Amino acid sequence: MVDLHAQYLKIKSEIDAAVQQVIDSSAFINGPGVDRFAENLAGYLGVKHVIPCANGTDALMMALMVLDLKPDDEVIVPTFGYVAAAEVISFLHLIPVMVDADCGSFNISLDELEQYITSKTKAIIPVHLFGQCCRMEPIMQLSQKYNLYVIEDNAQSLGATYTFSDGKKKKAGAIGDIGCTSFFPAKNLGCFGDGGAVFTDHDELAEKIRMTANHGQSEKYCHKIIGCNSRLDTLQAAILDVKLKYLDAYSEARYAAAQRYTEGLKKIDELELPAEEPFSTHVYNQYTVKVKNGKRDALKACLHEKGIPSAVYYPLPLHKQQAFKGIIRTVSSLDYATQLCGEVLSLPMHTELEPGVQQFIIDEIRCFFEG
């Protein structure tokens, strides 16, 4: 699904030099490379503050921790997607309010979003799924109308750009009150282990997030709030700082690969190909198709027999997961998310995907449907 080694080989000398520099300095925790990477990522995103941390789940948890929410306050989250956002909501004794998926983009649906908002609703977590932005302009309008926080999860869409109706552009994660991301190796900007970051333009929130990530202290042994221990180590920061320079090129390579898939598969009636929203660029963390007529699992098995990896993101919506039984709230049946879980299939997608390899994948998919 992802060829991380081939990606590394192209920038091996830069990565190796950056790693060696950290080893020589022995500043493995909170070394100068962490601040340098944070500053460079802030410049790329166009935000005032970037606070690196241990992983994307910690980023989401700390974003919620600094908002002074109370037990049983409600946070709106999509039911179709990875567990992390809903998990940290529940972990902090808040109520996940789960919303259905959009029929085209897989992102959170806005069709019924406003009716989910109650006096207990305090925040919305839009998750920019598979590589493109949610409909952030109407989400921000709702947040202003009801005085809600917006925490963006752009773990799968770092580098995507949102265009507002007035032509203004902002990077995914830099639109709401707080943005969160993951640097898991398979992400568009991935490190060589675990890592994450929180970003914001709000000075007070940034200060609280920094303290939260550092045991609640602003100076050593002076603990002002309850926090946790969540750090991006210097080795990972050094690697990420090198790769950040190539992020736009990586996005372009993924987009080119996506267009090759689309051109090769567009005539197959039983496949619905990814929809590209007009307001967002698409950085294709995943190339996810919908397989009609109940043939998804058969296609997956066929590809496996040919040595072609594929993956189902995601096989079960969050509102049907046992962990959330009895603790969520919803308004609708969430039928579309459930349907998606039986249809979606993600094909190999990475920066080193060669046209010849893609053509082999395309040919095998065509053979499955056309015989």
Side-chain angles (χ1 to χ4, degrees), residues 36-160:
R36 183 166 54 248
F37 168 64
E39 181 179 344
N40 289 337
L41 182 58
Y44 177 85
L45 292 170
V47 297
K48 290 175 65 176
H49 305 281
V50 168
I51 302 96
C53 62
N55 54 68
T57 304
D58 278 7
L60 288 163
M61 183 176 70
M62 293 190 298
L64 285 170
M65 287 173 69
V66 301
L67 300 182
D68 297 324
L69 306 184
K70 302 296 187 289
D72 295 333
D73 281 347
E74 296 181 347
V75 180
I76 292 174
V77 68
T79 189
F80 182 75
Y82 191 59
V83 70
E87 183 177 45
V88 297
I89 294 167
S90 305
F91 182 79
L92 296 172
H93 303 290
L94 308 170
I95 305 299
V97 179
M98 295 190 177
V99 180
D100 213 344
D102 179 80
C103 62
S105 68
F106 309 107
N107 282 323
I108 190 168
S109 172
L110 295 191
D111 291 345
E112 303 171 334
L113 184 57
E114 189 165 9
Q115 66 180 280
Y116 281 76
I117 299 171
T118 71
S119 60
K120 297 179 69 176
T121 308
K122 305 301 179 184
I124 304 172
I125 302 183
V127 180
H128 303 309
L129 207 60
F130 297 156
Q132 65 180 335
C133 299
C134 300
R135 292 171 60 194
M136 288 304 298
E137 189 164 10
I139 288 174
M140 294 307 296
Q141 290 167 352
L142 278 176
S143 74
Q144 292 162 13
K145 180 178 178 180
Y146 293 99
N147 194 30
L148 307 177
Y149 289 105
V150 175
I151 302 171
E152 294 176 77
D153 180 346
N154 79 335
Q156 296 186 20
S157 299
L158 189 68

Side-chain angles (χ1 to χ4, degrees), residues 283-304:
V283 296
Y284 281 101
N285 182 251
Q286 302 294 342
Y287 187 91
T288 302
V289 302
K290 289 184 278 187
V291 186
K292 302 175 184 177
N293 300 325
K295 294 185 177 181
R296 193 269 309 276
D297 292 346
L299 172 60
K300 190 177 190 308
C302 177
L303 293 176
H304 179 73

Side-chain angles (χ1 to χ4, degrees), residues 5-35:
H5 188 249
Q7 185 188 72
Y8 159 68
L9 290 177
K10 287 188 174 180
I11 53 173
K12 182 178 186 300
S13 60
E14 293 178 75
I15 293 289
D16 290 356
V19 169
Q20 190 61 54
Q21 186 176 33
V22 175
I23 293 172
D24 290 343
S25 73
S26 298
F28 298 116
I29 301 296
N30 292 330
V34 178
D35 289 339

Side-chain angles (χ1 to χ4, degrees), residues 156-231:
Q156 296 186 20
S157 299
L158 189 68
T161 300
Y162 188 94
T163 302
F164 289 83
S165 56
D166 63 0
K168 183 180 179 181
K169 297 179 184 293
K170 280 194 171 185
K171 288 292 188 184
I175 302 168
D177 298 287
I178 302 175
C180 301
T181 202
S182 164
F183 302 125
F184 185 79
K187 297 293 190 277
N188 289 37
L189 180 62
C191 57
F192 288 5
D194 261 325
V198 188
F199 16 93
T200 184
D201 282 328
H202 298 266
D203 295 339
E204 291 183 10
L205 288 177
E207 181 59 25
K208 287 185 71 175
I209 293 165
R210 287 192 180 92
M211 287 194 293
T212 300
N214 188 30
H215 295 290
Q217 58 188 348
S218 56
E219 56 183 288
K220 199 167 185 179
Y221 305 129
C222 181
H223 306 274
K224 295 183 178 180
I225 59 175
I226 298 297
C228 59
N229 178 26
S230 188
R231 297 181 291 222

Side-chain angles (χ1 to χ4, degrees), residues 296-310 345 360-361 364-365 367-368:
R296 193 269 309 276
D297 292 346
L299 172 60
K300 190 177 190 308
C302 177
L303 293 176
H304 179 73
E305 289 177 3
K306 302 293 184 178
I308 300 170
S310 62
L345 188 68
F360 171 68
I361 297 169
E364 292 300 330
I365 294 173
C367 183
F368 174 83

